[in-house]
Amino acid sequence: MKKLLLPFLLLTTSAFAQSSLRPQIDQSADAIESKVIEWRRDFHKYPELGNKEFRTAKIVADHLRALGMEVTEQVAVTGVVGVLKGGKPGPMVALRADMDALPVTERNDLPFRSVNTATYNGQETGVMHACGHDSHMAILMGVAEVLAGMKDQLEGSVKFIFQPAEEGVVDVDIFGARQMVEEGVMEDVDAIFGLHIDSQREVGQIGYRSGPFMAAADFFDITIKGVQAHGASPWSSVDPIVTTSQIITGLQTIVSRNVNITEAPAIVSIGGVHGGIRHNIIPEEVELIGNIRTFGDEQQELVHRRFEEIATKIAESAGATADVRIRKLYPSTVNHPELMAKMLPTLQEAAGTENVILVDPITASEDYSFYQREKPGIFMMLGGMKKGGDPLKTPSHHTPDFYLDESGFILGVRALSYLTVDYMGMKK
């Protein structure tokens, strides 16, 4: 009996030792809340687009270096990676924040509203942190300071990943998380944790889901070619516009007739139809663009297969051709089920059980999924809407009126810090 009890007691003691750091985490987090808000406001005022986060990256790197970390800059163009070595042996835990802003002109009347502009895709535009990446960076900088203050007590090391270009880069095939992974950032990592602010979820809340959480994102282009003719003699044509309309209708049957939507949703959205130049000319070709959202590799494969079959066969039936090009962007964000089950109590202790809420699958996408393809990971949603706010009336992400309640940031600092020390205790 003693032999059976000893390992259990050792495990319990180890877990308790890590849990005992929570009061220290809480005290340190409370002490730096104003600094986290100050960092966020500075990033918000001076946002930078993907792979151009030069000022942002310098601030991050200087902060991590001042905390005594080993810092690597220019990872995946402008990314920053800092490693905090704990005082005791143990796993490497990665924490990630994204750094880039969006080509959006801000409408908020804030003292720290964006002052930056840029050229994006050939057009002059305002630049704005309209998705909350400024808060992600500020929160992770806060976590870095909290954990650096107790590094001698940590049973492992922490890798702080500040990633560029989550929103993408024009005319670049490899960027953001995918490029970070290809440059080896995950090779020595045991597990990774990350969060995303949610402007339509109350502050104090954390949204989570085990398994497929956010959708894979794919873009498509279809060129439908027919035979041009005078609009007065359509029988002389192979009309690509009529064919395109039939293809659009046919593509919608993928979700309604091919996908088992009781398991997970899927989306096929048409984003643009371009063809023709004159009232009385049936054109030779039409360009069709849009995006596909799926959950999991199996569903993605099904939707892609049916997509190409429907588009090409409908075109063929009309005597036209359809050249289908599907570009995979981000895989589905999948929270590791076993890791999620183990760490859920940690989130509940950080926010309160009633504030950790199981959410429906999210059809938006995140390139955090590339990290999860390498090692077990958890991604969660952190509330950024004022208490009592109406999600339907609160501006959504990627809009000029996007706004965050900064009182929710401190929970992000606490949650990521708790996850780190608890995971280390479990792995001893």
Side-chain angles (χ1 to χ4, degrees), residues 64-71 82-85 144-145 148 158 160:
L64 298 182
R65 198 170 280 115
L67 295 174
M69 296 189 198
E70 296 178 359
V71 177
V83 176
L84 177 67
K85 293 185 177 180
E145 188 157 327
V158 189
F160 295 89

Side-chain angles (χ1 to χ4, degrees), residues 400-422:
D401 304 304
F402 177 80
Y403 177 82
L404 294 175
D405 186 326
E406 296 170 329
S407 67
F409 297 170
I410 195 67
L411 174 57
V413 174
R414 190 162 61 246
L416 288 176
S417 299
Y418 277 23
L419 286 168
T420 301
V421 298
D422 282 8

Side-chain angles (χ1 to χ4, degrees), residues 94-96 186 190-196 206-211 213-214 333-347 368-369 371-373 375-381 415-416 419 423 426:
L95 304 174
R96 174 269 203 170
M186 294 295 289
D190 292 279
I192 184 167
F193 302 107
L195 58 76
H196 201 300
I206 292 175
Y208 81 96
R209 187 175 188 83
S210 183
F213 182 34
M214 301 181 72
T333 302
V334 180
N335 284 334
H336 191 276
E338 183 180 349
L339 183 61
M340 187 78 252
K342 287 181 178 179
M343 306 313 300
L344 182 58
T346 297
L347 295 180
Y368 184 87
S369 54
Y371 302 118
Q372 292 174 313
R373 293 243 158 172
K375 300 293 173 63
I378 289 175
F379 198 63
M380 56 189 169
M381 293 293 162
L416 288 176
L419 286 168
Y423 179 82
M426 292 175 183

Side-chain angles (χ1 to χ4, degrees), residues 47-54 76-79 99-103 118-120 127 129 133 163-170 172 175-176:
E48 296 170 299
L49 296 175
N51 282 357
K52 297 181 179 179
E53 306 95 336
F54 303 112
V77 185
T78 51
M99 303 193 300
D100 56 324
L102 287 157
T119 301
Y120 181 83
V127 181
H129 272 294
H133 296 185
Q163 173 210 308
E166 191 278 329
E167 301 288 358
V169 181
V170 176
V172 175
F175 51 81

Side-chain angles (χ1 to χ4, degrees), residues 3 44 79 102 121 183 209 216 227 327 369 423 426:
K3 290 183 179 179
H44 190 87
L102 287 157
N121 203 19
E183 293 187 17
R209 187 175 188 83
V227 176
R327 179 188 177 197
S369 54
Y423 179 82
M426 292 175 183

